Amino acid sequence: MLKDKKRDYIVSAILVIGLFILLLGMINSGMISRYQQGILNFICINIILAVSLNITVGCLGQITLGHAGFMSIGAYASALFTKSGIIPGVTGYLVGLLIGGLLALLVGVIIGIPGLRLKGDYLAIITLAFGEIIRVLIEYFQFTGGAQGLSGITRYTDFRIIYIITALSVFIMYSLMTTRHGRAVLAIREDEIASESVGINTTYYKVFAFAASAMFAGIAGGMYGHTMGIISAKQFDYNYSINILVMVVLGGMGSFTGATLSAIVLTLLPEMLRGFSDYRMIVYSLMLILTMIFRPEGLLGRREFQISKLLDWIKIKIVGAPKGESKV
């Protein structure tokens, strides 16, 4: 099992690096335009948002509607830090993302400790309320630009940096959920009472998962702010939180691969339908409805795409099954 896990990590790393080299070559050769490169950047940001929300919704099993609020904290904190000019250049950008993520984590802990005592619809309502409170507070204070928003943010749209941050973020989140702490979170999702009865500190691990999700949402928010160059609190309303939740549900709650695929699809789909501007959102909505009718568990359910199983299947098909084993 450990051997298969190491092989999965090695092959996955090779594929991620290979995709990076391919996309970078296409960008440098002009095959991918600046507009298409911008879409790739937003795909990366949405992947972090969907995968981070999947920690709370899919792995912990708690519905939250305030993810855009944590994203806004990261966006404003990161933007204000880089605008201060304390650390210039790319280094300042990376430090700003870290500050935005840590501040979002802190707010996630503050909200999570009282909020995660509730479940289901009640938790969704309270997280929605906190998300709106964050938005209103951002519009109230002058140092955030108030209702007019924050402009003059230095833009960092280098695909190389955004891709690397996305790959590292997804790797950290996936690895986190495969550790002892991650297994405790999954146990709470399956049966909270049974988990508590065997000694799992359910309050601690629920806040742990919620705060980790908030931190990476803050990092994604910082990337979003520096990609746009101008942000306002209205961009991070509850509609944005619902869009992120749709990505998680469509991909399959609990599947990191599914969240990644749905983030890619739901970012590309509106752009591909842009030529049908009058009917774009109707087609988009119908596709989501049909998916939920015929595939209610999402694209992958709770399953993950495992490299080891694919390699074993290829080995059986090409080399043949070992002696004494059936190819079926």
Side-chain angles (χ1 to χ4, degrees):
M1 183 65 69
L2 184 61
K3 184 179 179 181
D4 288 343
K5 189 174 181 180
K6 288 182 177 179
R7 184 175 61 173
D8 282 350
Y9 278 130
I10 293 171
V11 176
S12 298
I14 293 172
L15 292 175
V16 170
I17 294 171
L19 178 61
F20 173 69
I21 294 172
L22 175 64
L23 292 173
L24 195 60
M26 295 174 68
I27 290 172
N28 293 333
S29 64
M31 295 178 64
I32 295 180
S33 64
R34 290 186 63 184
Y35 169 72
Q36 293 169 333
Q37 184 180 340
I39 295 175
L40 287 176
N41 291 341
F42 280 111
I43 286 175
C44 291
I45 294 170
N46 284 336
I47 286 174
I48 297 178
L49 289 170
V51 173
S52 61
L53 184 59
N54 187 52
I55 293 176
T56 302
V57 176
C59 299
L60 184 60
Q62 304 292 333
I63 301 296
T64 66
L65 295 176
H67 212 55
F70 299 121
M71 183 184 176
S72 66
I73 292 172
Y76 274 88
S78 178
L80 289 170
F81 178 80
T82 53
K83 280 174 67 68
S84 69
I86 297 174
I87 303 177
V90 177
T91 305
Y93 169 63
L94 296 176
V95 174
L97 294 183
L98 182 60
I99 291 173
L102 291 176
L103 186 58
L105 182 146
L106 178 61
V107 176
V109 172
I110 295 172
I111 295 175
I113 291 175
L116 290 171
R117 297 178 182 273
L118 303 174
K119 299 179 183 178
D121 299 338
Y122 302 105
L123 179 61
I125 292 170
I126 195 172
T127 52
L128 174 63
F130 272 115
E132 289 300 296
I133 289 171
I134 292 170
R135 184 182 63 83
V136 171
L137 287 176
I138 289 174
E139 291 185 340
Y140 174 77
F141 292 111
Q142 293 299 318
F143 70 91
T144 60
Q148 294 181 348
L150 195 63
S151 59
I153 304 170
T154 305
R155 299 186 67 188
Y156 291 97
T157 57
D158 190 337
F159 174 73
R160 294 172 296 179
I161 297 175
I162 292 176
Y163 185 93
I164 292 171
I165 294 172
T166 301
L168 287 175
S169 298
V170 173
F171 171 75
I172 292 171
M173 285 186 279
Y174 178 77
S175 299
L176 193 64
M177 287 298 107
T178 56
T179 62
R180 177 174 62 88
H181 300 288
R183 290 193 293 271
V185 172
L186 294 174
I188 294 171
R189 179 191 68 186
E190 298 301 327
D191 195 322
E192 185 174 344
I193 296 176
S195 300
E196 194 166 9
S197 67
V198 297
I200 294 176
N201 188 338
T202 55
T203 302
Y204 169 79
Y205 283 109
K206 286 165 75 174
V207 175
F208 167 79
F210 190 75
S213 176
M215 183 183 74
F216 284 100
I219 292 174
M223 295 167 64
Y224 177 84
H226 286 92
T227 299
M228 296 295 291
I230 180 172
I231 52 176
S232 67
K234 294 179 181 179
Q235 294 172 280
F236 306 103
D237 60 2
Y238 65 89
N239 289 317
Y240 205 125
S241 295
I242 292 173
N243 286 338
I244 304 169
L245 181 62
V246 167
M247 293 179 187
V248 177
V249 174
L250 182 65
M253 291 189 292
S255 172
F256 286 84
T257 312
T260 302
L261 290 175
S262 63
I264 295 171
V265 171
L266 294 184
T267 306
L268 286 175
L269 191 59
E271 299 299 327
M272 294 171 64
L273 296 173
R274 194 170 289 278
F276 307 94
S277 57
D278 294 336
Y279 310 101
R280 180 165 62 104
M281 295 311 297
I282 296 176
V283 175
Y284 177 76
S285 303
L286 284 175
M287 292 186 68
L288 293 178
I289 291 170
L290 291 173
T291 303
M292 288 296 98
I293 290 174
F294 296 104
R295 188 74 178 175
E297 70 274 20
L299 295 175
L300 295 182
R302 291 183 178 176
R303 297 186 300 274
E304 298 287 355
F305 175 74
Q306 294 182 324
I307 299 294
S308 58
K309 291 185 178 180
L310 177 62
L311 293 176
D312 291 339
W313 181 83
I314 293 173
K315 186 188 295 185
I316 291 173
K317 290 295 182 180
I318 297 177
V319 180
K323 292 183 180 181
E325 293 184 11
S326 172
K327 291 186 178 182
V328 180

